Amino acid sequence: MASTLIMFALIIGIFYFMILRPQQKRQKERQKLLDALKKGDKVITAGGMYGTIAGIDDKTVLVQVADNVKMKFERSSITSIVGDGTESKDVKKIE
């Protein structure tokens, strides 16, 4: 009986450290990324669209993808920040 409880506790411990804890860490990092968004950041959306943040609301982000072309996305669709808009002028742009 005691060995069964020990094995059960061991399985729960492995499950926590291998699955739950890393997932919680990724969620915290993602939330930090979404909270750190600011106007002028260069971002990539979940659909692979590159753009620059032109405006931010509580749940949406206005992304400028070309001259005079702005699109509204859910904040959660931003997957990564490429740059913060403060790069030097000698950096090549991807076009």
Side-chain angles (χ1 to χ4, degrees):
M1 182 72 178
S3 64
T4 305
L5 289 175
I6 292 171
M7 287 299 291
F8 188 65
L10 185 62
I11 290 171
I12 289 175
I14 290 171
F15 182 77
Y16 175 76
F17 284 107
M18 297 292 285
I19 296 173
L20 293 178
R21 193 164 180 239
Q23 179 62 27
Q24 289 172 346
K25 187 176 179 182
R26 282 192 296 270
Q27 278 182 325
K28 285 181 185 179
E29 289 173 3
R30 175 133 175 82
Q31 191 59 44
K32 278 185 188 178
L33 174 110
L34 294 178
D35 290 340
L37 290 176
K38 62 185 180 296
K39 190 174 179 179
D41 283 350
K42 294 182 181 184
V43 296
I44 302 174
T45 66
M49 179 119 15
Y50 285 73
T52 304
I53 295 179
I56 298 177
D57 290 334
D58 289 337
K59 293 186 178 189
T60 61
V61 176
L62 190 63
V63 178
Q64 182 172 355
V65 294
D67 293 334
N68 298 323
V69 179
K70 294 179 182 176
M71 302 175 90
K72 188 178 270 193
F73 291 95
E74 287 287 323
R75 224 177 159 133
S76 61
S77 71
I78 303 297
T79 57
S80 62
I81 298 175
V82 178
D84 60 0
T86 60
E87 295 92 356
S88 62
K89 299 290 182 182
D90 59 350
V91 175
K92 285 188 174 181
K93 291 183 180 178
I94 299 173
E95 292 186 25

